[in-house]
Amino acid sequence: MTTTEQIRKALTEALKRRPSLTQAELAEKVGVTQSMISHYASGRKMPALDTLSRLCTVLDLDANEILCVEKPKEY
């Protein structure tokens, strides 16, 4: 099960990989306020699915990665 803490960690790591992208810039690209990005990054709030999708697009993340979903093994 995905937790807010897992999403927080994934977002924090993704932002570290893009040091030139500020929370304010990310917020503008995603269509939320900078304070919402701060809430997501601190684990106080979880993004809605449409927002999570836009975060994945902007941060070039696989949704499985940010949701901490392991791909099933092929048989």
Side-chain angles (χ1 to χ4, degrees):
M1 177 176 197
T2 301
T3 65
T4 304
E5 178 63 16
Q6 290 169 313
I7 290 175
R8 183 200 66 76
K9 285 181 182 179
L11 282 174
T12 302
E13 289 301 314
L15 284 167
K16 284 181 185 176
R17 291 192 298 263
R18 306 263 319 260
S20 63
L21 182 67
T22 67
Q23 284 189 2
E25 292 168 330
L26 177 59
E28 185 176 329
K29 291 176 186 268
V30 172
V32 298
T33 63
Q34 186 275 327
S35 64
M36 287 304 292
I37 297 295
S38 178
H39 288 308
Y40 304 150
S42 68
R44 288 186 299 248
K45 293 192 179 199
M46 187 175 290
L49 289 177
D50 60 331
T51 303
L52 184 60
S53 174
R54 289 190 304 271
L55 283 166
C56 288
T57 299
V58 171
L59 295 172
D60 194 29
L61 289 173
D62 181 323
N64 289 324
E65 179 183 347
I66 202 164
L67 292 172
C68 307
V69 174
E70 291 184 31
K71 294 181 181 179
K73 294 179 183 177
E74 302 220 10
Y75 294 95

